[in-house]
Amino acid sequence: MRGLAVLAAAGAVWVLVTGRIPALPGRTFAMPSLGTVAAAAVSGSAATLLALGFTAVPAAAIALGVMSAAVPAVVAATRAARNREAIADAWPDFLALVRSNLASGASLPEAFIAAGHESGELLAAAADRVAEATRRGAGFAAALADLQDDFADPMTDRIFASLAAAQRTGGQRVGVVLGALGTSSSDELRLRKAHRAALTQQRLTAAVALIAPWALLVLTLATNPQAAAVYRTTSGIQVITAGLLATG
C-alpha cells in the first residue's frame, strides 16, 4: 500500500508540474480549468456532507462525494462536445458563404473571415483569430493550423487542411475544392446525427445502470440502521470501494 501511495503522490506532482495527464495512445486529455476544479471541490464537499447526514456511513459519503466532484468536469466536457457539434453543423453553410464571397472577388482569407462573421459567435471568434494572424503576417495556413488544436474535431481538421491547400494552389480549383468540401461535410453530418440517435438509448441505459445502485444504497442506508452498521465495518468499506472503482 505504501508503494501505491508513493506512486500516486509522484503522479500527482508530475501532473501539477507539467500540466499534462498521462494518456493511452490515441486519447488526449486536457487539464480542467480553475473554475471546473473549484466547482468540483464545492460539489464533492457538499455531496459528502449531505450523504453523511442521510446515511451516517463515512465510506458511502466519501464515494458519493468523489462521484459528485466529477460532475462539473462531465458538464464541461458535454458543453465542449455540444459546441463542436454546433460548429460542425455550421460548416456546410459556412463553405457556401466562402464560395459566395470568392465569387464576389474576395481572396480566400477575406472570404473566410467574412463568412465567419456571418456564421454565429463560435465561427466569428475563429474568423477574428485568422484576421489577427494575417495582420501579423503569420499567413492563412498557419492561422488555420493554430485553430485546429482548439476545435479538436476530425471534420474541422479536414476542412482547414483543405482550405490551406486550396490557398496554396489558388486558381479555379478553389471553388471546386469548396464545393467538394461542402458536399462531404453534409454527408458526414447526416452520418453523425444518425449515429448519435442510435446511441441515445444506450446512453440512457448506461446512466440508469450507473446511478441506480448508488440510489438504492443511499435509500437502504438511510432507512435501515442495521445495514448502515454493516457498511461501517471493514468488509462494508471494501464493498463500497469496489463499487466506486466499478463505477469509475
Side-chain angles (χ1 to χ4, degrees), residues 217-245:
L217 177 64
V218 170
L219 180 62
T220 301
L221 297 179
T223 58
N224 190 335
Q226 293 180 343
V230 170
Y231 277 100
R232 284 193 289 267
T233 64
T234 302
S235 298
I237 293 172
Q238 291 174 349
V239 169
I240 291 174
T241 303
L244 179 61
L245 293 175

Side-chain angles (χ1 to χ4, degrees), residues 44-65 218 221-222 228 232:
S45 300
T48 300
L49 294 175
L50 187 63
L52 188 60
F54 271 105
T55 65
V57 178
I62 292 173
L64 292 168
V218 170
L221 297 179
R232 284 193 289 267

Side-chain angles (χ1 to χ4, degrees), residues 19-96:
R20 294 182 297 168
I21 299 178
L24 296 174
R27 296 292 304 275
T28 58
F29 295 91
M31 288 292 291
S33 65
L34 291 178
T36 301
V37 173
V42 172
S43 175
S45 300
T48 300
L49 294 175
L50 187 63
L52 188 60
F54 271 105
T55 65
V57 178
I62 292 173
L64 292 168
V66 169
M67 290 186 291
S68 297
V71 170
V74 173
V75 171
T78 301
R79 186 182 298 114
R82 288 177 178 172
N83 286 341
R84 288 194 296 269
E85 291 173 5
I87 292 172
D89 291 340
W91 282 128
D93 293 336
F94 173 86
L95 293 171

Side-chain angles (χ1 to χ4, degrees), residues 1-13 241 245:
M1 292 299 293
R2 289 183 179 178
L4 291 177
V6 170
L7 288 175
V13 172
T241 303
L245 293 175

Side-chain angles (χ1 to χ4, degrees), residues 44-192:
S45 300
T48 300
L49 294 175
L50 187 63
L52 188 60
F54 271 105
T55 65
V57 178
I62 292 173
L64 292 168
V66 169
M67 290 186 291
S68 297
V71 170
V74 173
V75 171
T78 301
R79 186 182 298 114
R82 288 177 178 172
N83 286 341
R84 288 194 296 269
E85 291 173 5
I87 292 172
D89 291 340
W91 282 128
D93 293 336
F94 173 86
L95 293 171
L97 288 172
V98 173
R99 291 188 68 184
S100 175
N101 290 325
L102 284 174
S104 300
S107 65
L108 184 53
E110 293 171 346
F112 182 97
I113 294 168
H117 289 153
E118 299 174 20
S119 300
E121 181 180 351
L122 293 173
L123 289 180
D128 289 337
R129 290 184 57 183
V130 170
E132 179 63 24
T134 53
R135 279 196 298 267
R136 296 197 313 264
F140 183 61
L144 293 181
D146 290 338
L147 285 174
Q148 286 183 8
D149 294 335
D150 295 338
F151 283 94
D153 179 72
M155 178 190 293
T156 302
D157 290 346
R158 188 177 72 251
I159 289 173
F160 283 172
S162 300
L163 289 175
Q167 167 71 5
R168 290 192 296 268
T169 303
Q172 298 297 324
R173 296 180 181 179
V174 175
V176 175
V177 169
L178 291 175
L181 273 177
T183 301
S184 65
S185 298
S186 298
D187 293 340
E188 183 172 337
L189 284 175
R190 282 193 291 270
L191 288 174
R192 284 190 179 192

